[in-house]
Amino acid sequence: MSDIKLLISKFNLKPHPEGGYFSETYRSEGQIPASTLPSAYSGNRNFSTAIYFLLTSDTFSAFHRINQDEIWHFYSGSPLKLYLISDKGEYSEQNIGNDFSDGQVPQFVVPGGYWFAAKTINPDSFSFVGCTVAPGFDFDDFVLPKRDELIAKFPKHQEIIKRLTHS
Ligand code: GUN
C-alpha cells in the first residue's frame, strides 16, 4: 500500500473542502461561552481542537481564513509551503519541514484572520502535518472564498491566488 493510502486508512482521513484530507484528533470537552468571545464567533466554541492534515502533491490547500491563530506541526513526508496574505495585503511564505538548515521549521503559527494556502513542495509526494487551534475549530468560522472574490480584495496577488484557489 502507498504511504498516502496507508495514512488515509490508518488515521481515517476524509477529504477537506480546502483540499487534502483530515481527521480531528482532539476536541476539548470544555467550552468557551459565545458571550465571552469576540463577535467574529457565532456561538460557543470548545477550548481547543487539533487535526491530522494530509496534502498530496497533486493538489493544494486553497486560500482560506479562520478567526483564530492556527499552529501547524510537521510530521512526515515532503516539506510544505505555506502562502500567507495578511488582511492588510502583505504577502509572505514559510516552509514547514524538518530540514532546519534549509529555512524549514517544524512548527509555525498562522495568525488569525490571515488568508492562507499550502502546497507540498516535492513532486510525487505528500506532507503529513497537524493543525491546532484555540478556540476550537468550527466550520462557521471557516471562509473559503471564490477566486474572483479574493483577487478583487488583493489584485496585486492575483497570480498566486489563481494558482491556489479551486474555483
Ligand atoms: N477541523 C476541520 N477543518 C479544520 C481546519 O482547517 N483547521 C483546523 N485547525 N481544524 C479543522
Side-chain angles (χ1 to χ4, degrees):
M1 206 192 266
S2 75
D3 290 343
I4 293 169
K5 284 195 175 142
L6 192 79
L7 287 167
I8 289 174
S9 112
K10 176 133 192 94
F11 296 114
N12 195 26
L13 306 178
K14 304 289 180 212
H16 197 289
E18 74 197 45
Y21 301 85
F22 80 109
S23 74
E24 193 169 90
T25 53
Y26 172 67
R27 179 166 288 270
S28 69
E29 282 194 11
Q31 292 230 341
I32 311 168
S35 60
T36 64
L37 285 168
S39 59
Y41 294 90
S42 56
N44 300 351
R45 295 288 178 268
N46 298 87
F47 293 153
S48 175
T49 56
I51 57 168
Y52 288 136
F53 186 55
L54 174 71
L55 257 187
T56 51
S57 37
D58 57 349
T59 184
F60 54 84
S61 158
F63 275 103
H64 62 285
R65 194 188 72 177
I66 54 176
N67 296 326
Q68 56 277 71
D69 297 342
E70 182 165 61
I71 309 166
W72 286 60
H73 313 258
F74 182 79
Y75 299 140
S76 67
S78 159
L80 163 158
K81 188 182 287 294
L82 278 171
Y83 304 81
L84 305 122
I85 306 175
S86 76
D87 215 36
K88 290 188 192 143
E90 298 146 339
Y91 176 77
S92 58
E93 296 177 353
Q94 176 65 52
N95 291 347
I96 315 277
N98 54 18
D99 186 351
F100 311 138
S101 63
D102 193 29
Q104 299 167 19
V105 292
Q107 243 186 46
F108 183 74
V109 181
V110 175
Y114 274 43
W115 301 93
F116 63 104
K119 179 114 187 68
T120 293
I121 292 175
N122 298 344
D124 303 319
S125 189
F126 66 89
S127 307
F128 187 49
V129 301
C131 302
T132 308
V133 290
F137 185 88
D138 190 301
F139 272 106
D140 271 0
D141 305 325
F142 178 80
V143 185
L144 187 65
K146 292 269 178 231
R147 175 176 299 147
D148 291 351
E149 238 175 273
L150 205 57
I151 290 177
K153 214 169 156 51
F154 303 114
K156 70 176 176 183
H157 302 311
Q158 61 178 296
E159 286 315 314
I160 194 69
I161 293 170
K162 272 185 206 156
R163 266 177 55 206
L164 296 175
T165 43
H166 292 296
S167 61

